[in-house]
Amino acid sequence: MTTFKDIYPQDILDLIDNEDFNNTELKNPMIKPQQIANILGITYNENLDTEFDTDTRQIKPHTTDSFTTNRRKDMRSIAYILLKTRTNYKNIRGGDWQARINMCDRASIHLADKLLMPKKLIIDLIKKEMRPQYNIIKYTNPKTGVEEADVKQYKKEDYDILLRVAELLQVNDDVFKFRARTLGIIH
């Protein structure tokens, strides 16, 4: 049984600091924003005026884009709440508020990617996909007329492995490749 505690780094576990989160079983590679929101007491509210509300711990569900894009946007809204980012950017004090907003946006996107695509999970999935694959080919021998079978071994191409892992994680191919590249898994 694989739990979130097994796949997430300690900095994420410390940020979230929730026993229910730590002990949640990962039943398939796709990590669901809705599941994480439920564990953390974050509710989906379609009537919110903004994408998220840190004070009430609510996010507005994204439904206008593709499934994978909406998942990433929902996880980014959860990340804003986890990072305790203000809902109303105009309340940010300081001279260069735009730089502060950009910093919050970068941090939330980085956290959302870490939540959707944990390094340990990526490495495990790539290793599984790199294992040799086998096909059984049945044919009739023309000399004897007897049906025979051959076992052919093949190895997936690197590009196909990356596409398959992105598909398993239900994330955009380009976003996955960028995450794998920043982790140093691919070049």
Side-chain angles (χ1 to χ4, degrees):
M1 172 174 95
T2 302
T3 62
F4 283 174
K5 185 171 43 178
D6 299 328
I7 62 167
Y8 285 112
Q10 192 60 45
D11 63 332
I12 297 288
L13 299 175
D14 290 343
L15 174 69
I16 293 174
D17 193 25
N18 183 308
E19 274 306 307
D20 292 335
F21 178 83
N22 293 355
N23 297 320
T24 298
E25 184 179 353
L26 183 66
K27 297 186 186 212
N28 67 28
M30 182 182 71
I31 295 166
K32 300 173 185 163
Q34 179 74 44
Q35 182 183 24
I36 290 176
N38 288 342
I39 293 168
L40 302 177
I42 298 170
T43 57
Y44 281 78
N45 181 354
E46 294 176 8
N47 300 321
L48 274 181
D49 294 335
T50 57
E51 279 189 45
F52 65 96
D53 186 341
T54 304
D55 298 328
T56 62
R57 296 180 65 85
Q58 296 181 29
I59 64 173
K60 186 173 190 171
H62 294 88
T63 56
T64 56
D65 293 312
S66 70
F67 175 73
T68 56
T69 302
N70 288 334
R71 287 182 69 246
R72 189 161 185 245
K73 285 182 176 181
D74 284 349
M75 193 62 87
R76 190 185 71 222
S77 295
I78 291 169
Y80 278 120
I81 291 173
L82 290 172
L83 295 171
K84 297 177 177 58
T85 307
R86 294 177 179 211
T87 306
N88 186 351
Y89 286 132
K90 292 181 180 33
N91 289 336
I92 294 176
R93 290 187 169 80
D96 193 3
W97 63 274
Q98 187 63 48
R100 183 94 187 270
I101 291 170
N102 292 343
M103 180 185 71
C104 292
D105 287 343
R106 283 192 306 274
S108 66
I109 289 169
H110 182 68
L111 179 57
D113 288 347
K114 281 178 116 178
L115 288 168
L116 284 173
M117 300 170 277
K119 182 178 182 176
K120 288 181 185 175
L121 184 59
I122 290 172
I123 290 170
D124 288 346
L125 291 172
I126 288 175
K127 284 179 182 177
K128 285 180 186 173
E129 290 298 317
M130 288 177 71
R131 291 182 186 145
Q133 306 291 318
Y134 299 94
N135 277 344
I136 298 175
I137 301 170
K138 295 182 179 180
Y139 62 94
T140 304
N141 188 326
K143 294 181 182 176
T144 62
V146 176
E147 190 173 306
E148 296 179 3
D150 277 342
V151 177
K152 300 283 184 185
Q153 177 183 341
Y154 69 95
K155 182 181 172 197
K156 291 182 180 178
E157 296 293 324
D158 293 345
Y159 179 77
D160 295 329
I161 291 171
L162 294 177
L163 289 180
R164 177 66 181 146
V165 173
E167 180 184 318
L168 289 169
L169 293 173
Q170 288 292 302
V171 294
N172 181 291
D173 303 346
D174 293 330
V175 171
F176 174 73
K177 288 176 196 168
F178 180 76
R179 173 86 172 131
R181 198 169 290 118
T182 57
L183 291 173
I185 295 171
I186 63 172
H187 301 287

